[in-house]
Amino acid sequence: MKDTKFAQFVIFVNSAVPLSLLGWDWYHHRLGANPIEFATRTTGALTLLFLILSLAVTPLRKALGLPWMIKFRRLLGLFGFFYGCIHLLTYVWFDKFFAFGLIGEDIAKRPFITVGMASFVMLVPLALTSTQKSIKRIGGKRWNRLHRLVYLSAAGGVIHYYMLVKADTREPILFGVAVAVVLAYRILNKFFPNLTQRTPSRAQR
């Protein structure tokens, strides 16, 4: 089995860089005329990016025959949840100032908020059950079924983003294509597994 500790460290550091840069620019007032909107959209895009990267791990490891890459999936997925939390906190704190009545009205009356909130809620049980102990406690099959929610959450995030931007929809469409590709791979792998993976060599195990 390949030692991936250094690779995981590199992924961790690079995954934290966007938040560091965002914080730096916030401190130096470089987030433009509407810093709250910029921070909210940036953290939302980062949430989608890391969710898609986590979903891409399985296709890549199977296509390349590199089973040790599975260790990266949880780390990337947790960063997706982390940026989702920051995205939500930015909205709750800086946009609504913890006015939960107004937040409730937003969820009920604004569809893109409803979809976004539902997408985030689906990530919560996935983050809470991301440990090896949870897999053993729940059972592998049930754990896998539960964690398929990530596809629905990612798709909901794309819809949320698309409904938000209204005019320039190029970025949410690109995210949507990426989600569609990894979902199509999963379907193809289920019905035609011989087409989507190869046996790892001795050196890769």
Side-chain angles (χ1 to χ4, degrees):
M1 178 64 69
K2 187 179 180 64
D3 186 2
T4 61
K5 289 183 179 180
F6 180 72
Q8 288 177 298
F9 173 75
V10 171
I11 291 172
F12 182 90
V13 171
N14 282 277
S15 298
V17 166
L19 182 62
S20 302
L21 294 176
L22 184 64
W24 179 265
D25 287 341
W26 185 298
Y27 181 77
H28 290 280
H29 307 287
R30 297 174 183 169
L31 297 185
N34 193 334
I36 295 174
E37 180 181 352
F38 182 87
T40 303
R41 291 199 180 188
T42 299
T43 52
L46 286 168
T47 302
L48 280 174
L49 175 63
F50 280 99
L51 288 181
I52 291 168
L53 287 175
S54 70
L55 291 174
V57 168
T58 295
L60 284 174
R61 73 177 177 86
K62 289 185 176 180
L64 299 175
L66 303 175
W68 48 266
M69 287 184 65
I70 193 64
K71 292 186 176 182
F72 304 149
R73 187 174 64 181
R74 180 171 63 182
L75 179 60
L76 291 167
L78 286 174
F79 263 105
F81 178 70
F82 170 72
Y83 279 110
C85 290
I86 300 297
H87 178 66
L88 178 62
L89 182 62
T90 303
Y91 164 73
V92 171
W93 187 354
F94 298 106
D95 192 6
K96 298 300 179 183
F97 302 101
F98 294 100
F100 294 107
L102 293 177
I103 294 170
E105 290 179 10
D106 260 3
I107 295 172
K109 295 180 180 179
R110 303 173 74 183
F112 83 93
I113 296 289
T114 308
V115 173
M117 199 66 71
S119 300
F120 175 79
V121 168
M122 282 186 279
L123 290 178
V124 175
L126 308 188
L128 294 177
T129 59
S130 63
T131 63
Q132 290 295 325
K133 288 183 179 179
S134 295
I135 298 175
K136 292 179 181 179
R137 185 173 64 251
I138 298 172
K141 289 184 178 180
R142 283 184 292 179
W143 187 90
N144 281 323
R145 284 197 295 268
L146 173 65
H147 278 251
R148 287 172 191 163
L149 279 175
V150 69
Y151 289 93
L152 191 57
S153 177
V158 170
I159 295 170
H160 165 72
Y161 194 8
Y162 183 87
M163 295 170 73
L164 171 66
V165 296
K166 297 178 182 177
D168 188 358
T169 58
R170 289 173 294 178
E171 193 167 284
I173 286 174
L174 286 175
F175 279 127
V177 170
V179 172
V181 167
V182 293
L183 182 56
Y185 179 91
R186 184 177 183 88
I187 294 171
L188 188 64
N189 184 66
K190 180 177 178 62
F191 295 103
F192 305 100
N194 292 334
L195 299 177
T196 59
Q197 56 187 297
R198 65 185 179 124
T199 303
S201 64
R202 289 180 178 270
Q204 293 169 335
R205 292 177 182 173

